């Protein structure tokens, strides 16, 4: 960021470090912040993510964040896990103790008419079955209904907006999926991550694509 005059910056929280529990091996990571002088302290949020808190004691004319990392791009089987006996078939019931711990991920935040209509369709068309198959069918159900688009505007669309337009970015469909799962009694967490894409979604207007 470049400013047309010297400005006072409030403490900046930078969330650009891979989570410590990510499965992709990150062998090197550096974070460079300009200008100097500044004070940088690493913090962890309730989910274990690393946040860099930067304080500038003097006025600045620019603010630069430069991140470099080396990640080993090895193929990972997303289904390399075991299901608990109580969760082999979905939908299922959590134990009272586990349900209490998962309460933030069971909170229903949207219940609009279009979403409730979607849930009615899902209950009619997708029967209880193996949990992996059940989740795959839910994903396919939404994929056929919602067209993908690249949306540069900040924020996430409401479920009603996504269902009405039948189009949304990956985060819009993810949020819809989260709310569907929670209505069905399955804990779901909305997260963001890093996309390493070897082929561009659209052709570059300037320079090579990819």
């Amino acid at each position: 960021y470049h400013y047309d005059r010297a400005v006072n910056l409030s403490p900046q929280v930078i969330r650009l470090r891979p989570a410590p529990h990510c499965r992709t091996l990150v062998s090197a990571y550096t974070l460079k912040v300009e200008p100097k002088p500044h004070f940088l302290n690493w913090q962890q949020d309730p989910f274990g993510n690393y946040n860099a808190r930067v304080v500038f004691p003097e006025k600045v004319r620019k603010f630069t964040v430069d991140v470099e990392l080396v990640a080993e791009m090895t193929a990972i089987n997303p289904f390399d896990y075991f299901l608990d006996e109580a969760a082999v078939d979905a939908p299922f019931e959590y134990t009272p103790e586990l349900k209490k711990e998962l309460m933030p991920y069971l909170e229903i935040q949207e219940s609009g008419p279009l979403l409730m209509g979607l849930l009615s369709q899902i209950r009619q068309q997708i029967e209880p079955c193996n949990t992996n198959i059940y989740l795959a069918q839910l994903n396919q159900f939404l994929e056929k209904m919602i067209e993908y688009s690249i949306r540069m505007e900040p924020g996430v669309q409401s479920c009603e907006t996504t269902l009405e337009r039948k189009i949304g970015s990956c985060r819009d469909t993810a949020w819809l999926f989260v709310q569907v799962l929670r209505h069905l009694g399955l804990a779901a967490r909305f997260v963001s991550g890093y996309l390493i894409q070897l082929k561009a979604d659209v052709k570059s207007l300037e320079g090579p694509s990819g």
Side-chain angles (χ1 to χ4, degrees):
Y1 298 91
H2 294 271
Y3 309 102
D4 61 359
R5 66 181 68 89
V7 298
N8 287 313
L9 284 184
S10 59
Q12 302 291 304
V13 179
I14 302 170
R15 300 178 177 90
L16 291 174
R17 181 172 172 178
H21 51 270
C22 70
R23 298 179 68 180
T24 299
L25 178 61
V26 178
S27 56
Y29 173 89
T30 57
L31 170 67
K32 298 177 182 178
V33 178
E34 294 290 344
K36 295 181 178 180
H38 62 257
F39 303 100
L40 190 154
N41 296 97
W42 286 103
Q43 303 172 326
Q44 280 189 287
D45 65 16
F47 304 106
N49 298 308
Y50 285 111
N51 298 330
R53 185 177 187 272
V54 184
V55 176
F56 296 94
E58 302 174 0
K59 290 185 175 183
V60 301
R61 294 293 299 267
K62 68 175 183 177
F63 175 42
T64 304
V65 178
D66 181 20
V67 174
E68 295 184 8
L69 63 85
V70 178
E72 294 191 12
M73 301 305 297
T74 56
I76 297 175
N77 178 9
F79 298 103
D80 185 20
Y81 57 82
F82 292 97
L83 287 170
D84 188 270
E85 292 181 1
V88 172
D89 295 318
F92 53 82
E93 291 290 334
Y94 295 104
T95 63
E97 296 80 8
L98 183 56
K99 189 172 184 179
K100 183 177 181 180
E101 295 176 355
L102 293 174
M103 195 59 67
Y105 313 119
L106 290 166
E107 179 185 2
I108 294 173
Q109 296 178 263
E110 295 197 39
S111 300
L114 294 179
L115 177 57
M116 301 312 293
L118 172 64
L119 287 164
S120 178
Q121 294 180 50
I122 289 174
R123 293 187 174 101
Q124 292 175 9
Q125 299 182 33
I126 301 180
E127 298 181 355
C129 57
N130 173 272
T131 298
N132 288 333
I133 297 175
Y134 185 79
L135 293 175
Q137 290 179 343
L138 285 176
N139 185 59
Q140 291 170 357
F141 193 91
L142 295 181
E143 188 272 335
K144 293 176 181 178
M145 176 179 292
I146 309 300
E147 183 180 350
Y148 171 71
S149 69
I150 300 175
R151 194 168 64 80
M152 303 305 293
E153 299 85 1
V156 182
Q157 290 180 170
S158 68
C159 295
E160 294 298 290
T161 299
T162 300
L163 290 171
E164 181 179 4
R165 296 178 177 175
K166 298 187 184 304
I167 188 171
S169 65
C170 51
R171 65 185 184 277
D172 300 322
T173 305
W175 177 244
L176 174 60
F177 201 178
V178 165
Q179 291 304 304
V180 166
L181 290 172
R182 292 181 182 181
H183 272 280
L184 295 173
L186 299 176
R189 177 182 171 190
F190 184 81
V191 301
S192 62
Y194 298 85
L195 173 63
I196 297 178
Q197 192 166 328
L198 302 181
K199 183 178 180 181
D201 287 321
V202 293
K203 187 176 181 180
S204 176
L205 297 177
E206 298 181 4
S209 299

